[in-house]
């Protein structure tokens, strides 16, 4: 939605459900056509504290802001889900209130306001995403479980990176014990890194004797730098890359990368195989196409697509028709056309050990000043 | 539209205007919000001969197919244009009839069928794109000029590559003399290559004393390989790259590349600064933002965007806030995350000297067989 | 010596000690000046079976060939060692007799012939290199230990890759138990991979309660592809790279890479910090310079070198003088000037599981025919 | 010689002829074996003003310093030339006296001191290298021509880059008119860039009706960045690359690059096909091997080398034997093993317009201070 002109990068709040419902509806529809089985309400960062914190104009009145946006999102998700046979998931995520240390009661109140809307609209299940702290995830699960609906929870970034002393294994076990029916990870890493991280979590759950469904929702950008030789994921994930968030294009996955991802995730036993930042409808279609046999069907949008470039048989140029075969696409290493660029990038390692207590991690309502940006830049570039 | 699931890659016909009008309308709207001044009817490859050639189901009845699709496209373009103050351009392009050597009368009849619809709908001007042969462009101009409407013409690929003995300079002069009011190039090359090619055309027009407006519509993928040291563009353009059309992601331009393109095009005197394959609404917004002062306004979608990453001042992570400055983005060389890939790729030079008389260039109604694909593959990989 | 014109690549036999002693002497001298504490006799692959196998003209008479070459090597090593205060090590390595399955008696007889020369010349210690099989190393150690001289043994390639069921840990323990005083690894990998492999061996020795000195002799070419995410080294090492052995230049280490290697090896407790294929005198000097404080001296050749580019203060051009500082060189990522090349290369994985029993592994006295080369090429390129 | 430990990088003076004659002799011998037809005296930067300027200890007494070093160089070159049938060329180059503006008389006196030694030793011809200014080259030619010996002159860097208003074409014509019998270019660029530059010079000579032999001596490092789309070479050449001079390894040419270079140079009509910085004996051997038919012989060192990897038929590993064919090496794009590196590097363009009058270009006898280095670094990194 950012690339289509409806979301402000860096702020990421979802007021488009109210401001431009036709754009959100169209995006839902494209994902439905691509084979998505779940319409996730477009309510990421739609908690009141985030909306206010980021100066969103829809939230002049606190109560109306959150309720309006979440209600519009439920309407759109259900409308499109009913065009096929998809489920609707009510979506919440980490809150600035937690990051600012406002305590359990305040944080849960933020969750509750969104969830009240979801319950009123009878969503099929609840999904909590991008929790960087096991504690915040546990608080969210408590609120979600109270609805009686199934609960899926995706950890992210900091937990993956063993943030502040809690290992990824421990996080996985804690949220499973807290009541999550589906456990996994979303955002910040590419499929390769996410699946390696999922393997660690899966083994931790098995070791603890906890049987849970698994969910994974990687981003659509290559992030090989984010995993070290001990399969330990960098805490900052893609946000640690200098390209984030405006120059990630050259890392974008293609449909053949998605085939491989879908197959590997399926083989690991993951059954909620999803998509996070940067992944577009054709990427999701590739997941559905790879698993067409398992699912017993091709997605609607495959009417305009042939597997492995087969439709190129109709191309005007003979050298393009020569690519109408799987081996061409499976063995291709795509080039960047950018000879001044490296393949990998050093992560800003000086930020790796940052803890919540560092003042730069505090959530401020005022904008970062020019001088503060310069100071952060200097710290970012220090060796 | 291919990535959104509505167009078949390799075939590229625009039946979506009839089958999924809401998707086409939404795309028009996003470009309008991004600052586009012209809504081009979604009628590229919407000539009857192309639609039939490619087995399009809309064209069971020849007359209905072409007319329906072009009429729906006019409706959508005008509807969205009227939401702002944009113009509508009726869009035609090269035909398979020409490539198959069917002669002037047959080819002009194909053009006429589309143009009849455009005239009936009173489009603001006519735009002919992707002409690889000066002769076909001249035939198209003759039909377009007869309507009395302004005419823009974009040459492409083969003409840029001096195909079959006609130099790019000569092509430019010929289409200007044939009556094109706006002369330029579209598709097949990135902005760098296109602008270098435009420079050659501009100088040829000036030398011939022909005063014309200029148009350029590059693709959104880096193609530095397509220009040699003599500023001579490879005839095959992006189609000659092994990544075309399904694995071009790693070459995708970012918004900062677009700022540079817009500025350079403007400084060259080009005033129709457009976008072809791969370019999305946010790329067009970057053009409008770069030229905001010249245009006296920002585009609507800039309400969700700040120039040069300024909105990152609101980002949660301090290392991302450090990027809220122009110098970070202007000096960045984005990495690919693909260490097995080169930056450039050898073009399949064995195809470079192919002429129309080669049997592989003939347009066939039957699909290329497996065996033919293997033969083409072998020829493609030969050294 | 291959690059200087005295050794045949692919054959690698050391007849230069007899044919061109001045060239071998000069190389020894350059390494002495660079700070080397050990002159290794130039006798790698100087066993009779290898010399004959490879058609070496010095070995018309079996006895004379081996004896002459090894004797000349001892003379040269001792002569130059005495120009400083270096030690002389008699050098043996893996034999074709072992690879051809000729049994313990035959193999040990080959070792004995070289070692007889070394004992007669009273070398300071014996060094066995590039053993791919623990068994052959044990046989070599038995012969070496019988001389009463200290024994160093370097494993390589296949053992590192857990060849034929024997793990690297087990190999390290077996050769230590067999009597090696110094245990380590040489060839086939860059310093990064070698040090990670050494870590595994060191821990295995410690776990087994075996206290041994450690030796490492990496190659001078970057081989990051040769280590997977489980720190498991590819069996084929650099030989598995398509660039081996004639196009490895772009992977060559620079002097700053060597500083890092020397420091990391030292910090791991390794005290025989050496160099294998591709490393030139200036690379060895960089090791000595990095460890100048620990060694209490700079090497002689440092009279023509200043640390970290300091001598550039005298350069003619101001932009080069700007590089007379450590930070420039420590933070530099050198470019290749080869935009068609990737950073990494896929290893020919189809060869990874090859066992000794595969007929292509048999050592033949006849040259590989054109047809055989084509068959091997086809097998190499298969996916 | 720097890599062998006998020359100080950044200073580059040739006192090794006196201090370590055996090292210089060995290098001459390796080039002779590699097929070199000319032994160039090891006297680059052996003028008194340079030796003193750079604090060389051999030049405590001015007269003795220059004379001793040049005499020793003549002895070594002639000794090795007589081992084969090579010619000896007396080598001079640009002087700091010229750069410091000391005038014609002073500069020619510096040349004369070296040339007196060359004449006394009856060298076969004289070679002036690395002249950045046509004027200095003319002064040098005047002194050289007075000896009656044939004269070869190589321009470099600044002249190639049209320094201070004198175009490369004009430079070529001026030095030919001044009396040079062989005209060309050396140093600072790779073979590709040098040959493109030679083409410009050759055409200028032909246009001026001047018939001269041609010489080219490129460096052994890839420098594609140094040529723009107008075939205009960057003035700073390799010195403008951040890798210069200590981290150029990843740009090093391989023997197959040299085959191509030798063939292209020969086809252009160049008959003095040489080698400058970074090129080792095996590179020169590759030139001689490529031109074996034209020369009617292979060089001596080819006794240890087979064309196009043929000797790999004898390699132990089957996957290496698979590379015993020309097609493997001709089509290979060597990788760098450095995924954090780009293929190309931005040149420090802020230095491009520097003129001699800039104070940083003045030759100083005192060392650049730390503070000056920091100031230059800042200027180098400015955008």
């Amino acid at each position: 939605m950012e690339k289509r002109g409806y979301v402000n990068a860096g702020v990421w709040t979802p007021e488009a459900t109210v401001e431009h419902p036709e754009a959100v509806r169209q995006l839902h529809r494209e994902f439905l056509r691509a084979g998505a089985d779940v319409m996730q309400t477009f309510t990421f960062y739609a908690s009141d504290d985030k909306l206010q914190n980021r100066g969103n104009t829809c939230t002049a009145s606190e109560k109306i802001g959150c309720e309006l946006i979440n209600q519009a999102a439920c309407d759109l998700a259900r409308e499109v889900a009913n065009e096929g046979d998809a489920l609707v998931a009510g979506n919440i995520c980490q809150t600035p209130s937690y990051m600012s240390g406002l305590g359990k009661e305040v944080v849960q109140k933020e969750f509750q306001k969104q969830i009240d809307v979801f319950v009123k609209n009878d969503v099929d299940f609840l999904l909590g995403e991008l929790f960087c702290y096991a504690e915040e995830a546990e608080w969210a699960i408590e609120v979600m479980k109270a609805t009686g609906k199934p609960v899926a929870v995706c950890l992210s970034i900091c937990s993956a990176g063993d943030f502040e002393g809690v290992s990824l294994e421990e996080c996985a076990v804690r949220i499973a014990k807290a009541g999550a029916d589906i456990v996994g990870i979303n955002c910040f890493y590419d499929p390769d890194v996410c699946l390696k991280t999922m393997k660690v979590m899966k083994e931790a759950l098995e070791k603890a004797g906890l049987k849970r469904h698994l969910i994974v929702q990687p981003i659509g950008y290559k992030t090989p730098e984010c995993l070290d030789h001990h399969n330990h994921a960098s805490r900052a994930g893609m946000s640690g890359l200098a390209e984030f968030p405006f120059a990630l294009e050259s890392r974008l996955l293609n449909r053949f990368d998605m085939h491989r991802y879908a197959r590997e995730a399926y083989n690991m036993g993951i059954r909620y195989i999803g998509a996070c930042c940067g992944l577009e409808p054709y990427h999701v279609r590739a997941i559905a196409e790879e698993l067409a046999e398992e699912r017993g069907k091709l997605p609607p949008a495959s009417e305009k697509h042939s597997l492995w470039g087969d439709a190129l048989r109709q191309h005007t140029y003979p050298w393009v028709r020569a690519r109408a075969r799987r081996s061409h696409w499976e063995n291709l290493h795509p080039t960047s056309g950018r000879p001044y660029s490296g393949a990998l990038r050093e992560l800003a390692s000086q930020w790796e050990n940052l803890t919540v207590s560092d003042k730069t991690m505090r959530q401020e309502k005022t904008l970062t000043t020019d001088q503060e940006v310069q100071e952060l830049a200097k710290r970012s570039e220090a060796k």
Side-chain angles (χ1 to χ4, degrees), chain A:
Chain A
M1 292 299 282
E2 196 279 330
K3 291 180 177 167
R4 297 185 182 192
Y6 298 103
V7 166
N8 199 341
V11 183
W12 307 121
T13 48
E15 59 277 9
T17 59
V18 171
E19 296 175 355
H20 300 283
E22 76 289 356
V24 179
R25 182 186 297 113
Q26 177 60 24
L27 187 64
H28 272 304
R29 197 170 275 145
E30 291 171 16
F31 281 120
L32 185 79
R33 277 177 52 80
D37 293 318
V38 180
M39 295 292 105
Q40 298 180 193
T41 56
F42 192 67
T43 53
F44 189 89
Y45 275 164
S47 63
D48 255 341
D49 56 346
K50 184 76 184 185
L51 289 166
Q52 288 171 0
N53 202 1
R54 294 299 166 236
N56 193 279
T57 53
C58 280
T59 57
S61 154
E62 179 181 333
K63 189 151 167 257
I64 297 176
C66 172
E67 198 179 320
L68 263 184
I69 290 171
N70 284 274
Q71 179 58 50
C74 287
D75 292 344
L76 292 163
R78 179 61 73 194
E79 175 188 349
V80 178
N82 288 348
E83 294 177 6
D85 61 350
L87 301 174
V88 170
N91 186 302
I92 63 169
C93 67
Q94 65 170 11
T95 61
S97 295
Y98 182 83
M99 291 284 278
S100 303
L102 300 186
K104 185 173 179 179
E105 197 180 345
V106 172
V107 171
Q108 288 193 328
K109 193 183 147 208
E110 293 297 329
F111 294 139
Q112 193 66 57
K113 283 187 279 184
Q114 287 189 266
I115 288 170
D116 284 347
V117 181
F118 299 151
V119 169
K120 191 171 127 198
N121 285 275
D122 197 21
V123 301
D124 298 297
F125 66 97
L126 297 170
L127 170 61
E129 289 183 338
L130 202 77
F131 290 112
C132 297
Y133 303 90
E135 187 182 48
E136 189 181 14
E138 288 168 331
W139 296 353
I141 292 167
E142 193 178 324
V143 180
M144 289 193 281
K145 286 302 285 185
T147 65
K149 294 195 179 286
V151 169
V153 173
C154 289
L155 298 172
S156 194
I157 182 171
C158 322
S159 37
D162 294 8
F163 193 48
E164 311 219 341
V166 185
S167 76
L168 183 57
E169 288 90 333
E170 188 182 339
C171 283
V173 169
R174 275 174 62 178
I175 62 168
K177 285 191 174 162
D181 303 292
I182 310 178
V183 173
I185 200 160
N186 82 301
C187 205
F188 280 95
Y189 310 112
D190 68 17
D192 286 340
V193 177
C194 278
L195 290 182
K196 281 181 184 144
T197 302
M198 285 299 294
K199 193 163 172 281
V200 172
M201 291 176 67
K202 188 190 176 195
E203 289 169 0
L205 290 173
E206 284 167 358
K207 202 172 158 190
L210 295 162
K211 211 171 152 57
R212 292 292 182 279
H213 295 292
L214 300 174
I215 177 172
V216 65
Q217 300 186 122
I219 61 169
Y221 303 105
K222 286 267 179 191
T223 62
E225 298 93 334
C226 295
L227 202 73
D228 67 17
H229 267 290
H230 306 287
N231 283 337
H232 187 89
S234 149
R235 191 160 71 81
M238 73 165 160
S239 83
L241 298 166
E243 291 93 352
F244 176 86
F246 291 123
L248 287 161
E249 282 84 347
S250 53
R251 295 172 176 268
L252 190 57
L253 302 180
N254 62 40
R255 59 197 79 193
F256 311 109
D257 295 320
M258 296 305 283
H259 274 272
R260 194 164 58 80
Y261 153 59
R263 181 56 53 197
E264 289 178 5
Y266 189 86
N267 287 349
M268 267 184 67
I270 301 172
R271 290 296 176 271
Y272 196 127
I273 301 173
C276 203
C277 310
L279 289 166
E280 303 177 31
Y282 76 105
H283 291 107
V284 169
R285 180 176 62 192
I287 300 175
E289 288 179 340
E290 174 65 28
L291 298 172
E293 202 172 319
E294 286 80 2
R295 291 163 53 93
K297 62 180 174 189
L298 278 169
S302 291
E303 72 174 313
K304 296 293 177 190
H305 193 242
S306 307
L307 282 170
W308 303 107
D310 200 66
L312 297 182
R313 290 169 192 270
Q314 299 183 60
H315 199 275
T316 303
Y317 299 119
W319 54 88
V320 177
R321 294 202 297 276
R323 298 172 197 147
R325 56 200 160 101
R326 180 167 180 161
S327 61
H328 177 83
W329 301 106
E330 270 193 331
N331 298 320
L332 186 71
H333 287 302
T335 62
S336 69
R338 296 186 182 268
Y340 294 91
S341 303
L344 303 184
R345 181 174 290 283
E346 285 187 291
L347 297 170
S349 54
Q350 63 276 29
W351 292 102
E352 282 289 298
N353 297 315
L354 199 69
T355 64
V356 167
S357 57
D358 189 296
K359 80 179 166 63
T360 63
M361 287 300 283
R362 235 180 284 144
Q363 300 275 306
E364 308 286 358
K365 292 202 181 183
T366 57
L367 286 184
T368 308
T369 65
D370 276 350
Q371 194 192 322
E372 285 168 336
V373 168
Q374 290 309 317
E375 281 162 16
L376 291 168
K378 205 167 166 188
R379 190 166 161 188
S380 256
E381 285 160 6
K383 297 261 181 191

